[in-house]
Amino acid sequence: MSTPLDRFRELLSIPTVSYADESRMDASVFDEFHSALERLYPKTHERLERDVIARHSLLYRWPGASSEDPLVLMAHMDVVPVVEAEWQHPPFGAEIVGEGEDAELHARGAIDDKGSLVAIFEAVETLVAEGFTPARDIYLSFGHNEETAGDGARGIVAHLEERGIHPGLVLDEGGAVVEGIIPGVDVPTAMVGVAERGVMTLVMTVREQGGHASTPPAMPATARLARAIDRLRRKPFPTRLAPPVRAMLATLSPHAPEPLRTLFRRGEITGPLLAGAFTLGGPETNAMVRTTAVVTELSGAPGENVLATTAKASVNIRLLTGDTIDSATAHVRRAVADEKVELEIRHASNPSPVSPWRGEPWRRIAGAVVSTLGGDIVPTPYVQLGASDSRWFTAISDHVYRFTPFHLTRSERDALHSHNERIRVEVWLRGIGFYRALIEAS
């Protein structure tokens, strides 16, 4: 008889990789994944209704005693591509390394995001087998192209909206249980995203006549583009404490020593000082207090002895709560300060609305954290640094949260979208209990 870990490993071994160019996607692996879910979780598929949205995304409905204010649990089945040579263990081998409390499961998707998806199925399968009926309807929303900002989750939201469904609580991937992120705070914290940053790609383009590389002009297109990139790096976006970040620090202030305790508690006054300090704390804290911009793609001439007629750079921008697509574009224009550098918005979305960190939905999440993950853990609001499928659900719900119920170290977080992604087996098993507690409290 298979165990939860066996089922997790089998689903991790299916390479459900998504690509921005959907012609590269292998539809058969998603069909294989769907079939495996049906086989591994038969009671769930007998009890819950299922719709396939946008070809491969899945939406399940678990009828409850009431259809009002349903709960939506989210995850995504797709994973980012891998460079297999960089991995210590095969990325789709789902190998267990170590023993006992130190046992780790190495696989692409172990955390992002099959860890949550499979934990949700494990919780639901067990409760269905026990004859449990939820107090309200529960929807399970599993997108197939979250990593490429595709149409899966958007299609699910459109489907729910057409049916007049307005969830009372939506929970997607997001922050985790972490330690040592906030200076001076040693207690473990459950970082529950009440908002997420917007995301946009701005393309900088420089054009010139071109010609042979043996006779370059004084300012070739590549040099002008390089100067623009460096100017943007030297003029980062301004820092500030957005309301969710102020709330996070106020929540954690009792657990910080003086003078940090007072500084955190009085964030409306000490905000500029704290924001400046956070930029020095590393990439994570820096991203909490400013919109970030980084060049991710470069292109130039088609040959090594040819002057580029067009040089381009893609700038990935993550918008902090309070900033907008227009304000970010204006900042880049001022920083570059060169009219010969063209700016084009390739795609963009503004920051999400902010969900409340008080009230009954928040208490349900916080209660499940403390009761299953550890009584010493402090649930706190924060701004989700990356984008997720949950942003589409803000159109139909005012209570959208982002939390992954796993205790993750810094090195484990650093492996997301990189090589050697892994999760400790004991940590993953505890996450199942979190989803079960949240369902029972709903």
Side-chain angles (χ1 to χ4, degrees):
M1 185 175 180
S2 66
T3 68
L5 186 57
D6 293 332
R7 294 186 284 272
F8 189 21
R9 294 180 67 193
E10 178 175 343
L11 292 165
L12 285 170
S13 71
I14 302 174
T16 50
V17 179
S18 63
Y19 298 92
D21 179 1
E22 293 203 353
S23 67
R24 299 181 61 193
M25 291 178 65
D26 183 355
S28 68
V29 296
F30 289 91
D31 294 334
E32 180 185 354
F33 193 83
H34 294 181
S35 297
L37 289 174
E38 293 182 48
R39 173 171 46 82
L40 296 173
Y41 302 102
K43 296 186 184 303
T44 296
H45 285 83
E46 289 172 5
R47 180 72 178 89
L48 277 61
E49 305 164 4
R50 191 187 84 163
D51 289 304
V52 180
I53 309 292
R55 304 173 304 286
H56 297 293
S57 289
L58 300 176
L59 176 66
Y60 294 83
R61 174 178 174 260
W62 188 359
S66 170
S67 60
E68 296 297 317
D69 300 322
L71 167 68
V72 178
L73 297 178
M74 298 181 62
H76 60 88
M77 65 188 80
D78 63 317
V79 299
V80 296
V82 301
V83 179
E84 191 163 353
E86 297 177 346
W87 287 65
Q88 292 179 338
H89 304 276
F92 297 105
E95 292 184 2
I96 297 176
V97 180
E99 298 179 352
E101 294 183 358
D102 297 325
E104 296 177 328
L105 179 54
H106 286 242
R108 171 61 86 222
I111 296 174
D112 187 12
D113 184 33
K114 289 180 183 176
S116 289
L117 185 148
V118 181
I120 291 170
F121 267 106
E122 290 291 334
V124 171
E125 183 79 2
T126 302
L127 286 167
V128 169
E130 294 173 2
F132 176 80
T133 298
R136 64 192 87 198
D137 286 359
I138 294 176
Y139 289 86
L140 311 180
S141 172
F142 302 130
H144 75 284
N145 50 12
E146 187 273 349
E147 296 292 3
T148 58
D151 58 353
R154 279 181 288 175
I156 289 173
V157 169
H159 179 79
L160 294 174
E161 193 168 24
E162 288 173 3
R163 297 169 60 184
I165 295 167
H166 298 282
L169 170 57
V170 177
L171 183 67
D172 195 8
E173 63 173 332
V177 177
V178 298
E179 295 173 293
I181 286 184
I182 306 303
V185 177
D186 295 326
V187 296
T189 55
M191 311 294 280
V192 182
V194 296
E196 65 179 45
R197 300 194 298 173
V199 58
M200 62 184 291
T201 296
L202 197 64
V203 179
M204 298 194 296
T205 303
V206 179
R207 307 178 193 277
E208 70 172 358
Q209 184 175 348
H212 201 284
S214 63
T215 54
M219 180 62 76
T222 49
R224 187 177 295 275
L225 181 63
R227 185 177 68 178
I229 293 170
D230 189 56
R231 284 177 174 177
L232 179 59
R233 183 187 65 84
R234 291 173 179 272
K235 294 184 179 178
F237 285 80
T239 61
R240 56 188 168 80
L241 291 189
V245 179
R246 287 205 306 270
M248 176 189 70
L249 295 178
T251 301
L252 297 177
S253 62
H255 307 279
E258 292 291 2
L260 290 176
R261 180 178 302 178
T262 298
L263 291 172
F264 288 175
R265 190 175 66 249
R266 302 296 300 275
E268 71 282 357
I269 298 173
T270 62
L273 175 64
L274 289 171
F278 269 43
T279 65
L280 306 176
E284 288 181 315
T285 54
N286 176 64
M288 290 182 188
V289 296
R290 63 155 44 113
T291 290
T292 57
V294 62
V295 172
T296 55
E297 294 177 314
L298 290 167
S299 64
E304 62 183 31
N305 62 346
V306 179
L307 293 175
T309 56
T310 302
K312 291 188 176 185
S314 298
V315 187
N316 186 271
I317 300 175
R318 302 300 174 114
L319 301 163
L320 184 64
T321 300
D323 285 342
T324 66
I325 296 166
D326 289 343
S327 68
T329 305
H331 173 88
V332 174
R333 172 54 68 196
R334 289 193 300 269
V336 169
D338 187 342
E339 292 184 357
K340 292 186 177 181
V341 178
E342 303 171 13
L343 299 183
E344 177 191 359
I345 298 173
R346 182 177 294 165
H347 54 75
S349 61
N350 280 313
S352 75
V354 179
S355 295
W357 49 86
R358 298 180 181 86
E360 191 261 349
W362 173 266
R363 288 194 295 270
R364 282 155 58 190
I365 296 173
V369 167
V370 173
S371 67
T372 64
L373 304 182
D376 60 336
I377 296 173
V378 180
T380 180
Y382 97 119
V383 175
Q384 166 94 350
L385 302 182
S388 71
D389 272 344
S390 70
R391 65 191 182 279
W392 309 113
F393 278 78
T394 60
I396 59 174
S397 178
D398 294 328
H399 297 87
V400 178
Y401 301 94
R402 304 147 184 94
F403 176 67
T404 303
F406 307 130
H407 195 150
L408 302 179
T409 65
R410 177 60 185 267
S411 64
E412 289 165 346
R413 300 195 303 276
D414 286 345
L416 296 178
H417 284 210
S418 186
H419 54 278
N420 298 331
E421 183 179 351
R422 64 201 181 276
I423 191 168
R424 284 163 288 159
V425 172
E426 183 181 354
V427 164
W428 178 73
L429 291 171
R430 281 202 301 270
I432 298 172
F434 167 84
Y435 286 116
R436 178 181 175 119
L438 186 60
I439 290 170
E440 290 178 318
S442 298

